[in-house]
Amino acid sequence: MAAKPKLYYFDGRGRMESVRWLLAAAGVEYEEVLFKTAEEFENLIKGGNLMYQQVPMVEIDGMHLVQTRAILKYIAAKYNLYGKDLKERALIDMYVEGMRDLNDMIMSFPFSLPEEKQKIFNYILERATQRFFPVYEKALKYHGNNYLVGNQLSWADVQLLEVILMTEELKSGILSAFPKLQEFKARVSKLPSIQKFLQPGSARKPPEDEATVEVVKNIFKTDEDLFLQHMS
Ligand code: GSN
């Protein structure tokens, strides 16, 4: 039997959370190496397997995969979550890239400066409800299928549920004007592998709290407003 994939990251959501979601949706068991200090991260770098001295890194099929998108694409393709042809794949990419833009803003929000928080919060919610959610609502409404692409579960659906739940954590009721997304959320949450991941005790991580933000800043030796990198 092939070894379980091994995920290397800090003990929080960050960029790795979408990888956890995708593996869980595919029903794949994995192990995690969660480092807590700058020293542990430096030792990982010294190990020589981080191509850019950055995480996430996933050991899978004899490779040391880095770069979040590369990791997600490999998993999506390997587990048949990446469409049946090039056109479906392009559509999945377009949906997922929009979701990642929103995901990145929310992921960085806990790291933003206190005096900027309200402005950024408003900006994220405006972008979610005016730019991103209408796209997926319309797609589900007009093709009438259960899933975003090709009427079978794909990476786009998994990423959409993840980002819907992240946005709801910021503001509950954010889906009130999006009936198709509400149905989608209820339906996809019930798929056995996803239902399992949503249960307490799974490998799903909570939103970054202040303590985790401090740990992360310490590991990566950063004080700057990380959010600004994602404000485009
Ligand atoms: O998407 C990616 O995997 C890369 N384009 C970026 C990865 C990255 O920035 N990783 C951070 C920690 S995860 N949080 O954002 C990292 O390893 N920073 C250390 C460094 O020296 O850049």
Side-chain angles (χ1 to χ4, degrees):
M1 204 177 85
K4 289 179 188 172
K6 203 183 254 191
L7 281 47
Y8 295 79
Y9 205 61
F10 63 82
D11 190 5
R13 283 186 182 174
R15 290 182 159 89
M16 189 62 103
E17 192 67 0
S18 297
V19 177
R20 298 185 181 106
W21 265 92
L22 199 57
L23 285 169
V28 178
E29 287 186 20
Y30 53 88
E31 291 170 13
E32 298 210 61
V33 176
L34 301 171
F35 50 85
K36 291 194 165 61
T37 63
E39 194 189 358
E40 286 174 347
F41 180 50
E42 277 153 26
N43 285 338
L44 187 59
I45 293 173
K46 282 186 199 138
N49 291 321
L50 303 185
M51 186 182 280
Y52 300 108
Q53 297 96 47
Q54 288 181 320
V55 285
M57 192 266 279
V58 176
E59 224 178 313
I60 183 169
D61 298 337
M63 297 182 292
H64 294 94
L65 290 184
V66 295
Q67 289 291 356
T68 315
R69 283 177 175 76
I71 296 167
L72 289 166
K73 282 182 184 186
Y74 183 80
I75 295 167
K78 179 175 166 90
Y79 296 104
N80 196 24
L81 293 165
Y82 208 0
K84 67 172 176 353
D85 56 30
L86 273 176
K87 287 188 175 175
E88 282 195 0
R89 194 165 282 211
L91 198 51
I92 290 169
D93 281 339
M94 287 195 289
Y95 287 144
V96 163
E97 288 300 322
M99 294 163 195
R100 286 232 65 81
D101 287 347
L102 179 56
N103 186 313
D104 284 353
M105 286 193 272
I106 300 174
M107 179 185 80
S108 307
F109 180 59
F111 297 88
S112 57
L113 300 171
E115 61 271 26
E116 301 273 315
K117 279 218 184 314
Q118 188 61 51
K119 194 175 82 186
I120 293 169
F121 180 82
N122 294 342
Y123 178 83
I124 293 172
L125 295 187
E126 191 269 337
R127 280 291 191 251
T129 55
Q130 305 301 314
R131 174 168 294 183
F132 295 110
F133 287 174
V135 172
Y136 317 125
E137 176 78 11
K138 193 169 151 195
L140 291 166
K141 188 169 175 185
Y142 287 108
H143 68 41
N145 294 333
N146 283 349
Y147 300 106
L148 276 171
V149 180
N151 209 21
Q152 68 169 40
L153 185 75
S154 78
W155 174 18
D157 302 301
V158 180
Q159 189 78 62
L160 178 56
L161 181 60
E162 180 189 358
V163 82
I164 284 175
L165 297 179
M166 287 172 83
T167 315
E168 285 185 326
E169 283 169 353
L170 287 183
K171 188 170 167 51
S172 63
I174 190 90
L175 289 189
S176 59
F178 301 99
K180 290 288 164 195
L181 292 185
Q182 290 175 36
E183 285 170 28
F184 171 89
K185 178 188 148 189
R187 193 169 52 239
V188 176
S189 298
K190 287 197 194 94
L191 297 176
S193 60
I194 291 181
Q195 196 174 36
K196 194 170 160 199
F197 190 59
L198 291 172
Q199 295 295 318
S202 80
R204 193 173 168 228
K205 300 289 173 196
E208 266 80 1
D209 59 12
E210 281 179 28
T212 309
V213 167
E214 285 314 305
V215 170
V216 171
K217 281 182 175 171
N218 183 46
I219 293 174
F220 300 112
K221 298 186 173 63
T222 176
D223 265 336
E224 79 237 54
D225 180 2
L226 291 179
F227 182 81
L228 293 177
Q229 295 173 15
H230 302 293
M231 193 82 180
S232 60

